[in-house]
Amino acid sequence: MSLSPYVPIIGLFALAAGFALFSIAAARFAGPHRYNKAKLEAYECGIEPSPQPIGGSRFPVKFYLTAMLFIVFDVEMIFLYPWAVSFDILPVFGFVAMLVFIGAVFVAYAYEWRRGGLDWD
């Protein structure tokens, strides 16, 4: 059992980790070193930050529903792409398993549609 097919993947991870470490080190040396109270505070478009939303109401859940919808369909694409590439070598079980998966994703889509997650008011 040879590890040679994994060398490019390990190299890519090493390159990504090296780039991340280099970026952090370069930012530390090249960034500004004079901090004051105004630079360390949260920036909210010139408005003083407040702990409560303006008007005292709750934060809209619509943003979270949109994010969850994106995640559901992004995960679907992650699973569909390898299946489509190896479709010709899979037996009938692979086809049925993918139909079940697509059915589950369709149920999530129908639930989101029914709850109004696709309406942009």
Side-chain angles (χ1 to χ4, degrees):
M1 192 159 142
S2 174
L3 293 178
S4 61
Y6 297 106
V7 170
I9 296 172
I10 293 170
L12 183 63
F13 281 132
L15 182 67
F19 179 73
L21 292 174
F22 172 76
S23 298
I24 292 171
R28 177 76 178 141
F29 291 115
H33 298 289
R34 293 172 290 184
Y35 297 106
N36 59 27
K37 185 179 178 190
K39 286 186 179 181
L40 294 176
E41 288 185 6
Y43 177 71
E44 292 192 15
C45 301
I47 301 171
E48 290 293 323
S50 61
Q52 295 292 328
I54 297 174
S57 62
R58 294 175 39 182
F59 191 80
V61 182
K62 179 96 171 153
F63 298 109
Y64 299 112
L65 290 176
T66 304
M68 290 303 294
L69 183 67
F70 172 76
I71 289 171
V72 164
F73 289 107
D74 192 39
V75 168
E76 178 190 13
M77 286 300 116
I78 289 171
F79 285 118
L80 276 177
Y81 185 74
W83 175 78
V85 169
S86 61
F87 177 71
D88 56 342
I89 60 172
L90 289 175
V92 174
F93 175 76
F95 181 71
V96 172
M98 191 50 62
L99 284 179
V100 169
F101 176 71
I102 290 173
V105 170
F106 179 74
V107 168
Y109 174 72
Y111 174 77
E112 187 74 24
W113 188 1
R114 180 103 169 141
R115 298 281 295 173
L118 301 176
D119 296 332
W120 293 99
D121 297 332

